[in-house]
């Protein structure tokens, strides 16, 4: 078996010459009172910022290490085998770069089988095996430990997960099969499905132990020592490890059902990974591990060759890499220090911004407004939010005092902003008002202070045009809820200079936001695409398609919410306002829905009532609707909407609104919560043929978010 | 304000296995502070009846207090060991007698009433911090001939000691060294040492040093069982051509740490902590730096005088073996035979190693084990020589001793 595994891995290694190779060191230890013990250390020779991964050569190295300990175990020269990682890292699973390169189903199958063949040798050894989760463990890292007979975990372990479903895979090196058999299906569903789909939630050491994944937990300070002494006690028979019996009855099926419910609520059937994982978990009920492993191999290979995984990896890389190094941002050394922030306006948005700036920048933040009452309300809101943070233990008393002292209000702009380096306005969305505000602020601030606008649809250049120093104006467009959505569209006006832009990016980084550079174009990126998207939905409703059909037509995409629910969240009035702005800019493509206007005019804040627990069209809204007689099928609606989105993105790229399609996707993922399995949207439009149909070409080159040619 | 001095007791002591300093040593890739931290944690694990917040001080000695031995090690180690932040700590330095001084200083605080329970220990990672690292001796030492050049080099001071006592020959030193290795090997075989050791996980990336990856240090690396007079005779005398001091009759360059718990006797009883030795007296004394190895003699004289005891009252000796000649100088002074069975029963630093500032607690821990085995012995002492011409001695009373034990024991006269 070992020979074929080695061959399998050699073949895979040829496809992935740039692998960062993990070594599997074997070192022998005299375990006090328990004989000679072989400890395998997984280590890629780099520090903890480059976590240990498993590519084909790495698996081959582990295979070789197991050759050695297998022989020693058979000869009786060792009493047990352990496996652990380099400092702070156990192992973080398969090397995604290697997965991206795979072009053929059979190669993908080889990766799955290769991992299984190597890992399962651990459970076949003639001596007991132990995994010591000393640090970050993910995916295949978790799984290699699952193949051992016993596990310990460090209380200092910061991150433990099976993130495969999050990316578009299944835990396919034993995770789907062994985990439910170890801790029961319900807990396995929590780890494999729920955490993964909950923005890849990580477990900490304590939780790993509480879930029963590890048999013992030790503090970080002497984790390995205590794990080895515990091992000695197990080997000597002084400690018997008793695990709770796994419920293989109805509870197992209910757990799988719960998993399907979670998957439906998150991806609405639109991404296959969670469902494939659940199928394997369901089948694992019979305890037949090999059958499970075979199913994992097939699922892995299918998913690796599928678009959702490629989109998932693409999206992951966008968020992790491009999101941290924004395309087109100027040299960060040009950035000026920001030691005081001014906020014009003290409404809800302004107050949320003040809180964010105070928390992240830890510099004085002053709110101004037109009367003391508004100012007091704004400052009061911020102080109240800080108290909530204190209550939740997110900040301690000293920090709460510090933050509160940082946030103040004033009616006197000269006093408030005179020494501010960065002033952001969040006043009424009206160009004349904003121009006047900036003129007032410019009169009292230094010539280099940044003037930022949180406008969602007005022209930044126009706003700057009447100033003495228009080069200092930048768009700084947040997304609601400000504390949750990571995206920040940074808008470069016609006259914005590099230093101001660099300062804006530096501030964004401190705010821990995902900054994307966008051109000063109507509604920038997210709002333009969402408005076009919703505009098309409204159009078909206005033309006669029933609301329910139009709403459900988009469900196969697995968006976080339906279009009208989103419009409710944004607020119909704001939605209408943005559509009017875009209609003025692009009257041929953006319409203003008379029905939406009627709903806004009637003062309705939403379309649905939730009295029955489920959303039902508000009868009052239904009464307002005036529809035509052109009824489309769901499929026709979907095609029309996707065509519109593809067209709009194509035009935006031609206009140079952003550098590349990647930025559009990054904006949609981080600003609108569009899912990884769509890769934002352009990978989906490409693979569904929409891009080709509308624009005559795909947005992305083959291999970028798809199986390489 | 009238005060009553309180009795101070040694509760428990542990140490890491000692390693050889240098790129092939077991601790080459291990931080010095981690050695201390793991020792402190082991002490707490072994004494679960001690609420950690009852610890009033953490005194940690190191000779070279920079890098991973710097940053007020007693305080940082306490935090890193997981002690409550309310527990303070400090660093201490008296070169080789660092841990011994950590013990005496905090013991003084206990007697005075400032502390109830303390942690005292020491560390020296001589691989990371070679002797003399970063020193800047005042030029007046030389210009005013305050000390001889040799005073800064411990091996040379040992040669100087041979000069002072010509009857302490290389032969006697080597014979002593062979016995130290034999006694240490025997103590290991009888399981007398392992109980004090805290296993330490050790990482190795250099394949030239052995198997790579994580390992576990569970025994003293410097040990050379089977050492013979012949093998010692062949060794070089690095400190002087045709000299007497060799790597074989001296302690090596080592890495290691120790930690101990001391308490006021009444507090130990209140908390149900073991009482392994009771402090009787202690003293430090200065001698000419060129012959620092004679330091234990005046220190012991002073400590005996303070205790009102004579050398004949001492039934067990734990003498640090920085150099065989320095032990023999002490024994000769008191007319004790080179192979007296009361002296270093488990062997000494020549076998186990001597990570400078950590060693004092090893002596006390081993004396405490011997007290437990030999209740007929009432008093024992721990003593060591110290760089720049000093000696330090602590006299301890065996809590197991009672008048009754004398009657039931045959040979026990002391």
């Amino acid at each position: 078996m070992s020979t074929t595994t080695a061959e399998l891995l050699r073949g895979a290694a040829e496809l992935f010459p740039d692998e960062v190779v993990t070594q599997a060191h074997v070192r022998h230890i005299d375990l006090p009172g328990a004989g000679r013990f072989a400890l395998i250390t997984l280590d890629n020779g780099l520090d903890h910022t480059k976590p240990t991964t498993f590519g084909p050569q790495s698996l081959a190295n582990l295979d070789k290490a197991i050759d050695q300990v297998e022989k020693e175990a058979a000869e009786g020269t060792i009493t047990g085998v352990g496996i652990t990682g380099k400092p702070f890292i156990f192992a973080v699973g398969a090397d995604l770069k290697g997965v991206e390169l795979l072009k053929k189903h059979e190669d993908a199958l080889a990766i799955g089988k290769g991992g299984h063949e190597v890992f399962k040798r651990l459970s076949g050894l003639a001596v007991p095996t132990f995994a010591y989760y000393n640090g970050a463990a993910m995916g295949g890292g978790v799984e290699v430990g699952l193949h051992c007979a016993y596990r310990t975990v460090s209380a200092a372990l910061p991150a433990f997960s099976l993130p495969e479903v999050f990316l578009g895979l299944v835990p396919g090196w034993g995770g789907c099969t062994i985990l439910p058999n170890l801790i029961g299906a319900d807990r396995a569903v929590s780890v494999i499905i729920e955490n993964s789909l909950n923005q890849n939630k990580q477990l900490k050491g304590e939780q790993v132990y509480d879930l029963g994944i590890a048999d013992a937990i030790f503090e970080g300070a002497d984790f390995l020592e205590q794990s080895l002494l515990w091992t000695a006690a197990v080997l000597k028979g002084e400690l018997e490890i008793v695990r709770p019996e796994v419920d293989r009855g109805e509870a197992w099926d209910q757990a799988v059902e719960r998993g399907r419910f979670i998957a439906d609520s998150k991806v609405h059937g639109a991404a296959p990974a969670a469902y494939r994982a659940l199928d394997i978990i369901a089948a694992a009920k019979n305890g037949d591990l090999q059958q499970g492993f075979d199913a994992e191999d097939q699922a892995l290979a299918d998913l690796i060759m599928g678009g959702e995984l490629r989109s998932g990896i693409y999206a992951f890389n966008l968020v992790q890499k491009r999101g941290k190094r924004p395309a087109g941002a100027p040299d960060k050394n040009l950035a000026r220090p920001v030691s005081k922030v001014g906020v014009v306006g003290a409404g809800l948005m302004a107050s949320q911004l003040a809180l964010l700036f105070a928390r992240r920048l830890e510099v004085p933040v002053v709110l101004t407004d037109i009367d003391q009452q508004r100012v007091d309300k704004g400052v009061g809101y911020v102080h109240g939010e800080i108290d909530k943070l204190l209550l939740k233990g997110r900040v301690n008393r000293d920090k709460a005092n510090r933050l509160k002292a940082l946030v103040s209000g004033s009616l006197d702009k000269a006093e408030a902003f005179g020494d501010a380096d960065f002033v952001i306005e969040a006043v009424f969305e009206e160009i004349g008002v904003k121009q006047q505000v900036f003129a007032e602020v410019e009169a009292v601030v230094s010539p280099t202070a940044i003037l930022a606008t949180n406008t969602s649809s007005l022209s930044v250049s126009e706003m700057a045009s009447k100033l003495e120093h228009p080069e200092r104006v930048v768009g700084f467009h947040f997304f609601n809820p400000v504390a949750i959505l990571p995206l920040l569209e940074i808008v470069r006006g016609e006259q914005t200079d590099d230093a101001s832009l660099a300062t804006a990016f530096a501030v964004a980084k401190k705010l821990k936001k995902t900054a994307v550079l966008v051109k000063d174009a109507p509604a920038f990126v997210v709002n333009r695409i969402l408005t076009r998207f919703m505009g098309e939905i409204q159009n078909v409703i206005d033309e006669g398609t029933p609301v329910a059909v139009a709403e459900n037509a988009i469900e196969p995409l697995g968006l976080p919410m339906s279009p009208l629910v989103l419009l409710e969240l944004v607020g119909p009035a704001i939605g209408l306002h943005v559509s009017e702005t875009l209609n003025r800019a692009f009257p041929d493509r953006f319409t203003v829905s008379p029905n939406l206007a009627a709903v806004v005019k009637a003062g309705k804040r939403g379309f649905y009532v939730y009295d029955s627990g489920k959303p039902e069209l508000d009868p009052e809204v239904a009464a307002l609707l005036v529809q035509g007689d052109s009824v489309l099928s769901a499929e026709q609606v979907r095609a029309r909407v996707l065509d519109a989105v593809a067209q709009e993105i194509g035009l935006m790229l031609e206009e140079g609104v952003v550098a590349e399609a990647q930025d559009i996707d990054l904006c949609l993922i981080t600003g609108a919560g569009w899912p990884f399995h769509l890769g934002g949207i352009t990978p989906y439009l490409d693979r569904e043929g929409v891009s080709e149909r509308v624009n005559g070409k795909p947005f992305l080159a083959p291999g970028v978010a798809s199986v390489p040619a | 304000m009238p005060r009553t001095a309180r009795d101070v007791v040694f509760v428990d002591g542990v140490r890491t296995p000692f390693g050889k300093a240098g790129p092939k040593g077991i601790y080459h890739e291990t931080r010095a502070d981690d050695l201390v931290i793991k020792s402190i944690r082991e002490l707490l694990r072994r004494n679960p009846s001690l609420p950690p917040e009852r610890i009033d001080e953490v005194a940690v000695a190191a000779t070279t207090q920079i890098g991973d031995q710097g940053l007020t090690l007693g305080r940082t180690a306490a935090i890193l060991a997981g002690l409550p932040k309310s527990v303070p700590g400090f660093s201490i330095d008296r070169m080789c007698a660092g841990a011994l001084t950590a013990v005496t200083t905090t013991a003084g605080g206990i007697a005075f009433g400032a502390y109830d329970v303390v942690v005292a220990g020491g560390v020296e990672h001589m691989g990371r911090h070679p002797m003399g690292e970063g020193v800047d001796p005042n030029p007046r030492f030389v210009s005013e001939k305050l000390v001889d050049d040799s005073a800064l080099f411990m091996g040379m001071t040992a040669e100087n000691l041979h000069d002072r006592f010509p009857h302490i020959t290389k032969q006697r030193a080597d014979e002593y060294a062979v016995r130290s290795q034999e006694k240490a090997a025997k103590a290991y075989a009888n399981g007398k040492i392992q109980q004090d050791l805290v296993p330490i996980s050790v990482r190795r990336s250099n394949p030239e040093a052995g198997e790579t990856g994580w390992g576990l240090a569970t025994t003293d690396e410097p040990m050379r069982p089977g050492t013979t007079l012949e093998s010692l005779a062949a060794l070089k005398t690095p400190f002087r051509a045709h000299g007497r001091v060799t790597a074989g009759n001296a302690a090596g360059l080592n890495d290691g740490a120790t930690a101990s718990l001391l308490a006021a006797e009444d507090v130990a009883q209140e908390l149900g902590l073991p009482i392994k030795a009771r402090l009787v007296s202690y003293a430090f004394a200065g001698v000419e730096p060129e012959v620092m190895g004679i330091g234990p003699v005046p220190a012991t004289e002073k400590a005996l005088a303070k205790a009102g005891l004579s050398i004949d009252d001492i039934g067990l000796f734990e003498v640090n073996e920085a150099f065989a000649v320095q032990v023999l100088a002490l024994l000769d002074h008191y007319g004790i035979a080179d192979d007296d069975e009361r002296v270093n029963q488990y062997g000494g630093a020549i076998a186990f190693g001597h990570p400078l500032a950590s060693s004092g607690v090893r002596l006390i821990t081993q004396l405490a084990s011997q007290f437990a085995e030999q209740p007929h012995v009432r008093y024992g002492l721990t003593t060591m020589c110290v760089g720049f011409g000093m000696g330090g001695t602590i006299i301890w009373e065996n809590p197991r001793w009672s008048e009754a034990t004398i009657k039931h024991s045959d040979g026990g006269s002391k």
Side-chain angles (χ1 to χ4, degrees):
Chain A
M1 177 155 49
S2 183
T3 333
T4 53
T5 307
E7 279 167 9
L8 204 65
L9 293 172
R10 241 193 322 276
E14 279 167 22
L15 297 175
F16 185 24
D18 297 332
E19 177 183 349
V20 176
V21 179
T22 296
Q23 304 296 331
H25 305 278
V26 180
R27 186 165 171 185
H28 295 88
I29 289 174
D30 283 320
L31 271 191
R36 188 164 177 262
F37 185 79
L39 181 57
I40 298 173
T41 304
L42 301 170
D43 190 346
N44 63 4
L46 303 169
D47 72 15
H48 65 278
T49 61
K50 305 272 186 319
T52 304
T53 51
F54 288 121
Q57 293 180 64
S58 309
L59 287 173
N61 284 339
L62 180 57
D63 197 41
K64 228 166 76 186
I66 298 174
D67 285 342
Q68 181 187 342
V69 298
E70 186 180 59
K71 184 161 167 278
E72 292 169 345
E75 290 167 355
T77 56
I78 53 172
T79 56
V81 172
I83 185 162
T84 193
K86 68 181 181 180
F88 308 109
I89 306 287
F90 182 74
V92 299
D95 190 327
L96 288 178
K97 284 201 203 77
V99 173
E100 283 177 83
L101 295 172
L102 296 172
K103 297 178 192 173
K104 288 187 283 190
H105 195 272
E106 66 210 63
D107 293 337
L109 198 61
I111 285 292
K113 278 196 188 303
H116 272 130
E117 293 301 326
V118 175
F119 287 3
K120 74 184 185 194
R121 293 181 69 196
L122 285 167
S123 55
L125 293 179
V127 293
T129 49
F130 299 80
Y132 311 123
Y133 291 123
N134 62 303
M138 293 169 200
V142 167
E143 289 170 308
V144 71
L146 293 177
H147 286 266
C148 294
Y150 305 97
R151 281 154 298 280
T152 67
V153 68
S154 166
L157 178 146
F160 182 104
S161 64
L162 289 170
E164 285 83 354
V165 167
F166 164 73
L167 291 167
L169 282 170
V170 298
W173 283 342
C176 284
T177 308
I178 302 175
L179 195 62
N181 278 294
L182 178 69
I183 61 172
D186 195 60
R187 290 174 165 199
V189 163
S190 296
V191 177
I192 295 171
I193 307 293
E194 193 172 16
N195 289 353
S196 240
L197 293 180
N198 189 8
Q199 290 166 336
N200 193 20
K201 188 180 160 206
Q202 300 294 313
L203 299 170
K204 301 205 181 302
E206 190 83 32
Q207 295 164 304
V208 173
Y209 174 68
D210 289 343
L211 283 168
I213 300 172
D215 301 300
I217 182 166
F218 301 107
E219 289 178 16
D222 39 23
F223 168 71
L224 188 54
E225 289 89 342
Q226 293 305 307
S227 292
L228 288 168
L229 295 178
W230 180 87
T231 298
V234 172
L235 290 174
K236 284 187 276 185
E238 293 169 4
L239 256 182
E240 197 194 344
I241 306 307
V242 186
R243 301 189 185 122
E245 192 70 31
V246 167
D247 187 338
R248 293 180 189 279
E250 221 172 287
W252 194 289
D253 308 326
Q254 283 166 0
V256 173
E257 274 319 298
R258 185 173 75 87
R260 289 194 203 286
F261 179 78
I262 294 166
D264 285 345
S265 71
K266 294 284 185 180
V267 301
H268 314 278
Y275 303 95
R276 293 295 293 266
L278 285 163
D279 289 345
I280 302 168
I281 295 171
K285 186 178 175 181
N286 66 10
D288 184 338
L289 295 186
Q290 190 53 52
Q291 192 183 40
F293 294 165
D294 292 342
E296 288 175 358
D297 287 342
Q298 283 304 327
L300 267 188
D302 294 349
L303 292 168
I304 287 173
M305 299 315 290
E308 289 84 359
L309 170 72
R310 305 297 175 141
S311 300
I313 296 178
Y314 164 81
F316 183 75
N317 287 334
L318 286 185
V319 173
Q320 293 298 319
K321 294 179 182 159
R322 197 178 183 95
K324 287 176 180 155
R325 281 184 291 279
D331 180 356
K332 63 175 188 276
N333 294 317
L334 295 174
R336 290 190 287 263
V338 172
S339 56
K340 185 176 176 186
V341 172
V343 181
V344 189
L348 184 60
M349 188 65 186
S351 304
Q352 287 185 54
L353 294 181
L355 176 64
L356 181 71
F357 278 92
R359 276 194 82 190
R360 299 283 182 234
L361 264 52
E362 299 192 323
V363 300
V365 178
V366 190
L367 294 150
T368 64
D369 211 317
I370 50 170
D371 60 46
Q372 192 63 45
Q373 200 187 345
R374 284 172 210 237
V375 168
D376 290 347
K377 194 178 167 199
V379 173
Y381 168 85
V382 178
H383 285 194
E385 290 299 306
I386 294 167
D387 281 333
K388 283 187 203 160
L389 293 172
L390 177 63
L391 216 61
K392 287 186 213 154
R394 302 274 297 276
V395 297
N396 65 23
R397 169 70 62 187
D398 295 350
K399 182 54 79 69
N401 288 344
R402 175 177 179 178
L403 293 177
K404 281 189 188 177
L406 286 175
V407 179
S408 61
S410 174
L411 286 176
D412 179 353
K413 286 201 180 69
E415 179 207 54
F417 300 154
D419 54 350
D421 311 296
F422 190 102
V423 179
I424 186 165
E425 68 77 23
V427 298
F428 188 66
E429 203 60 359
E430 163 68 51
I431 189 74
V433 175
K434 302 227 183 207
Q435 282 175 335
Q436 194 198 331
V437 160
F438 270 178
E440 283 170 23
V441 173
E442 181 163 63
V444 299
V445 296
S446 81
T448 56
I450 304 295
L451 301 186
T453 170
N454 183 37
T455 185
S456 57
S457 58
L458 299 174
S459 164
V460 172
S461 307
E462 196 182 341
M463 222 179 283
S465 60
K466 297 188 176 164
L467 294 177
E468 202 173 320
H469 291 290
E471 72 279 0
R472 57 155 103 214
V473 175
V474 291
F476 220 59
H477 183 218
F478 289 93
F479 288 79
N480 235 329
V482 170
I484 294 171
L485 284 176
L487 181 62
L488 182 58
E489 291 175 343
I490 294 189
V491 187
R492 175 169 211 157
E494 276 162 25
Q495 303 199 58
T496 308
D497 66 8
D498 279 354
S500 302
L501 202 58
T503 308
F505 275 101
V507 168
K509 192 178 175 114
K510 280 195 184 165
L511 295 174
K512 297 187 180 172
K513 291 295 175 189
T514 302
V516 174
L517 178 63
V518 306
K519 202 174 101 171
D520 187 18
F524 316 122
V525 176
V526 171
N527 282 348
R528 179 160 164 188
I529 295 169
L530 288 184
T531 304
R532 183 78 202 274
F533 169 79
M534 303 228 279
E536 237 19 78
I537 297 274
Q538 280 155 358
N539 285 345
V540 301
I541 293 172
D542 293 355
E543 288 164 19
T545 301
V547 171
V549 174
E551 278 273 79
N552 296 338
I554 304 303
E555 213 173 63
L557 270 70
L559 296 181
M561 60 191 83
S562 74
L564 291 185
V565 172
L566 175 62
L567 194 53
E568 271 188 13
L569 192 79
V570 172
I574 292 174
L576 180 66
H577 178 75
V578 179
S579 72
E580 285 165 352
T581 306
L582 282 162
N583 171 253
R584 277 195 297 277
F586 309 112
D588 55 325
R589 304 194 306 280
F590 288 84
T591 49
V592 177
S593 161
N595 279 324
L596 177 59
V599 168
V600 172
K601 196 173 170 215
K604 302 300 291 183
R605 315 216 38 173
F607 302 86
Y608 293 107
V609 286
Y610 298 87
D611 301 339
S612 67
K614 283 185 176 173
E616 284 172 35
L617 192 64
D618 185 340
E620 290 178 28
V621 170
L624 292 170
L625 294 184
V626 180
Q627 290 184 285
D629 51 11
S630 163
V631 180
L632 300 185
S633 71
E635 233 163 86
Q636 288 168 316
V637 173
R638 188 162 62 246
R640 192 163 148 187
V641 169
L642 291 175
D643 284 5
V645 168
Q647 184 199 29
E648 200 60 39
I649 293 173
L651 291 169
M652 288 167 74
L653 291 172
E654 272 176 32
E655 286 170 36
V657 175
V658 291
E660 287 186 290
Q662 278 85 337
D663 293 315
I664 302 267
D665 291 322
L666 181 55
C667 284
L668 288 170
I669 293 163
T670 57
W674 282 24
F676 268 33
H677 59 80
L678 300 180
I681 194 64
T682 69
Y684 178 77
L685 296 174
D686 283 356
R687 74 171 180 257
E688 293 295 313
V690 183
S691 320
E692 192 72 41
R693 182 167 74 221
V694 176
N695 300 324
K697 60 179 182 191
F699 286 107
L700 302 167
V704 173
S706 54
V707 177
Chain B
M1 177 176 144
R3 294 180 189 278
T4 311
R6 299 194 294 177
D7 276 327
V8 180
V9 295
F10 178 80
V11 171
D12 203 357
V14 296
R15 68 176 175 98
T16 69
F18 290 164
K20 291 184 188 173
K24 294 188 177 178
I26 47 176
Y27 297 130
H28 184 60
E29 297 177 37
T30 306
R31 291 177 60 98
D33 50 3
D34 279 336
L35 296 177
V36 175
I37 290 156
K38 291 172 185 191
S39 300
I40 294 173
R41 289 174 62 82
E42 179 65 16
L43 264 184
L44 295 178
R45 262 194 297 270
R46 289 185 184 197
N47 294 281
S49 72
L50 170 64
E53 64 274 14
R54 289 294 301 270
I55 298 170
D56 292 313
E57 191 69 277
V58 177
V60 176
T63 304
T64 303
Q65 297 190 358
I66 56 180
D68 56 351
Q69 293 186 170
L71 210 66
T72 311
L73 194 49
R75 173 57 173 166
T76 48
I79 293 173
L80 287 163
L83 293 180
K85 287 183 184 154
S86 57
V87 176
F90 67 111
S91 293
I92 211 160
D93 169 30
R94 200 201 293 271
M95 291 190 228
C96 306
L100 201 77
T101 305
V103 167
T104 55
T105 300
T106 52
I110 292 170
F112 182 75
Y115 309 136
D116 282 348
V117 183
V118 301
V119 171
V123 62
E124 206 76 47
H125 198 307
M126 298 174 74
R128 285 177 171 244
H129 305 286
M131 266 195 284
E133 182 189 18
V135 298
D136 179 15
N138 194 306
R140 286 184 48 234
F141 276 123
V142 176
S143 67
E144 298 180 20
K145 297 190 167 53
L146 293 174
V147 298
D148 186 83
D149 280 352
S150 63
L152 279 172
F153 302 94
M154 297 305 123
M156 292 188 187
T157 69
E159 291 285 2
N160 295 343
L161 201 56
H162 274 291
D163 295 340
R164 180 163 293 188
F165 301 115
H167 57 280
I168 305 179
T169 58
K170 177 170 189 294
Q171 174 76 14
R172 272 180 73 189
D174 283 352
E175 283 168 359
Y176 183 87
V178 168
R179 271 194 304 277
S180 181
Q181 295 283 3
E182 283 169 357
K183 286 188 284 186
K186 191 172 159 217
Y188 252 101
N190 293 336
K192 308 284 189 200
I193 304 300
Q194 294 87 335
Q195 60 194 2
D196 300 336
L197 301 183
V198 184
I200 303 290
S201 62
V202 287
R203 194 170 173 226
R204 187 190 285 140
S205 347
N206 173 15
E208 285 173 24
E211 288 181 334
T212 49
W214 284 107
L216 192 69
T218 54
T219 54
D220 293 305
E221 193 183 21
M223 303 264 292
R224 287 184 170 275
T227 296
T228 62
L229 274 177
E230 292 69 39
S231 60
L232 290 185
L235 295 174
K236 286 185 206 145
T237 57
F239 304 104
R240 190 187 284 182
H242 306 288
R244 290 139 296 193
V245 180
T246 69
N249 60 29
L253 304 176
N254 305 107
D255 310 328
T258 60
S260 67
L261 272 178
L262 301 168
E265 183 156 9
D266 55 334
V267 176
Q269 281 162 350
E270 172 209 330
L271 296 174
L273 295 170
I275 294 172
K276 295 185 172 178
R278 185 179 292 112
L279 183 73
V280 179
S281 70
Y282 67 83
F284 293 89
V287 298
E288 298 149 87
E290 295 83 357
V291 285
M292 65 94 205
I294 197 67
V297 171
T300 303
E301 293 285 310
K302 263 169 101 171
L304 285 170
K306 285 177 196 301
L309 296 173
S310 90
I311 196 71
D312 298 328
D313 294 311
I314 305 299
L316 286 165
F317 295 78
E318 274 292 327
V319 187
N320 192 45
E321 298 170 351
F323 300 96
V325 59
Q326 146 256 316
V327 182
L328 295 172
L330 176 77
L331 298 184
D332 276 8
H333 175 81
Y334 287 114
I336 298 169
D338 292 4
D339 60 353
D340 190 297
E341 62 175 19
R342 295 170 299 168
V343 178
N344 290 8
Q345 292 188 336
Y346 299 163
I350 288 172
F352 300 124
H354 173 32
L356 305 185
S358 73
S359 285
V361 165
R362 178 185 66 78
L363 302 179
I364 303 168
T365 305
Q366 292 190 180
L367 178 70
S369 300
Q370 293 157 20
F371 272 166
E373 291 174 333
Q374 296 159 74
H376 59 277
V377 173
R378 181 163 186 189
Y379 295 110
L381 70 73
T382 50
T383 186
M384 55 204 308
C385 58
V386 189
F388 251 81
M390 290 185 283
T393 299
I394 309 179
I395 296 175
W396 301 92
E397 184 182 27
N398 186 354
R400 308 279 175 101
W401 179 88
S402 70
E403 296 289 342
T405 59
I406 294 181
K407 289 177 194 146
H408 293 294
S409 70
D410 290 337
S413 59
K414 305 291 190 239

